[in-house]
Amino acid sequence: MKTLTVSVVTPDGQVLEDDYEMLSCKAENGELGILPGHIPLVAPLTINAVRLKRNNEEDLVAVNGGFLEVRPDKVTILAESAEKASDIDVDRAERAKERAAQLLESNNPDTDVMRAKLALNRAMNRINVAKN
Ligand code: ATP
């Protein structure tokens, strides 16, 4: 089976670098499936799971936006933050979700709604990835 190298990098360092048969993710323009030999591409990503397939198994990474750069033999993801499923602290994400939800429900005019929505999305993405 042909593979491509997938590298996920954040300002804190490299989260993952390994070879996979396929990557799927949600770009701002929609779902993308990347196989080895894909044409070069750069796309902005949403806060979502990146799915990595190899030997009929799937690894999930929670990615907080950023960019995907595709070359025929390599995919690089640059994101503000990213965690492998096994590195996610679910209790922390549940607390972050609760905080963001309370802020959004409070209707306080001082609340930065966009910031709270993004925090909620990050937390829900982490919870979904950890539980998959
Ligand atoms: P929190 O409010 O819990 O800090 P956050 O969404 O504001 O969540 P980020 O600013 O996105 O956190 O990330 C800061 C750092 O903490 C990053 O290195 C990120 O990978 C890590 N991180 C955040 N939440 C979790 C989590 N639930 N489990 C593991 N690592 C996490």
Side-chain angles (χ1 to χ4, degrees), residues 18-125:
D18 215 335
D19 294 340
Y20 288 93
E21 291 156 9
M22 184 180 175
L23 172 151
S24 27
C25 61
K26 193 147 183 248
E28 285 185 358
N29 286 339
E31 290 282 342
L32 277 177
I34 310 288
L35 292 164
H38 198 284
I39 53 163
L41 171 85
V42 174
L45 293 177
T46 60
I47 297 172
N48 227 297
V50 171
R51 297 174 178 275
L52 303 163
K53 289 186 190 141
R54 178 174 59 197
N55 301 330
N56 293 322
E57 285 180 13
E58 195 173 59
D59 289 340
L60 262 63
V61 184
V63 172
N64 171 17
F67 283 88
L68 170 91
E69 186 205 23
V70 180
R71 283 182 272 140
D73 59 347
K74 178 150 191 183
V75 174
T76 306
I77 291 172
L78 298 168
E80 274 298 312
S81 62
E83 304 86 33
K84 289 193 260 190
S86 56
D87 290 337
I88 292 173
D89 176 342
V90 177
D91 288 344
R92 176 176 167 180
E94 294 281 7
R95 289 195 300 273
K97 178 183 168 190
E98 193 59 31
R99 266 197 317 275
Q102 277 177 7
L103 272 175
L104 290 169
E105 279 164 18
S106 69
N107 285 325
N108 182 335
D110 293 336
T111 299
D112 182 338
V113 173
M114 187 51 74
R115 187 172 162 191
K117 281 185 180 169
L118 288 172
L120 184 63
N121 283 351
R122 287 197 300 277
M124 291 195 326
N125 185 35

Side-chain angles (χ1 to χ4, degrees), residues 6-10 13-17 52 61 63 75-77 79 82:
V6 177
S7 175
V8 180
V9 182
T10 75
Q14 190 161 62
V15 171
L16 171 142
E17 179 159 287
L52 303 163
V61 184
V63 172
V75 174
T76 306
I77 291 172

